[in-house]
């Protein structure tokens, strides 16, 4: 089973900065790759440009602050958890 997931976060960045999502699922880079850059929208809400298709019902993730294409800061605190079984009714 595959799931289409959208991510969004409200975060005010400075010029040259952007937000990425990274996580434990292979599709989210297994904590190593910053492939999913979010797009800025009005109100400083960063959103996925298109849904990210994942195979895992359960994974952890964080938002990462990027500056000029390089990671400069990981989201503080515990990892966020996506438990998609709660949405699918399984």
């Amino acid at each position: 089973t595959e799931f289409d997931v959208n991510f969004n976060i409200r975060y005010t960045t400075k010029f040259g900065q952007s937000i990425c999502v990274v996580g434990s699922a292979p599709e989210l880079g297994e904590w190593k790759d910053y492939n999913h850059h979010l797009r800025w929208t009005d109100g400083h809400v960063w959103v996925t440009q298109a849904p990210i298709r994942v195979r895992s019902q359960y994974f952890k993730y964080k938002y990462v602050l990027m500056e000029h294409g390089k990671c400069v800061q990981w989201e503080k605190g515990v990892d966020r958890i996506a438990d998609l079984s709660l949405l699918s009714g399984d």
Side-chain angles (χ1 to χ4, degrees):
T1 307
E2 294 182 333
F3 304 89
D4 288 336
V5 183
N6 287 293
F7 295 89
N8 68 75
I9 186 171
R10 180 185 304 270
Y11 189 85
T12 303
T13 54
K14 298 176 186 161
F15 183 77
Q17 293 180 329
S18 62
I19 300 294
C20 229
V21 64
V22 64
S24 61
E27 299 86 356
L28 295 176
E30 296 179 317
W31 300 116
K32 299 183 294 261
D33 298 322
Y34 308 105
N35 296 331
H36 295 290
H37 297 268
L38 304 186
R39 179 175 53 85
W40 184 88
T41 63
D42 288 338
H44 300 285
V45 178
W46 291 84
V47 300
T48 41
Q49 298 184 41
I52 299 170
R53 182 157 287 180
V54 296
R55 289 187 195 96
S56 232
Q57 277 189 299
Y58 179 89
F59 58 89
K60 296 179 181 182
Y61 68 99
K62 282 191 182 249
Y63 294 101
V64 177
L65 180 64
M66 306 291 285
E67 194 165 306
H68 304 294
K70 296 190 181 198
C71 172
V72 292
Q73 183 178 336
W74 282 65
E75 181 178 17
K76 291 179 175 37
V78 298
D79 297 340
R80 293 175 184 252
I81 297 172
D83 186 350
L84 305 180
S85 67
L86 295 172
L87 302 176
S88 65
D90 291 348

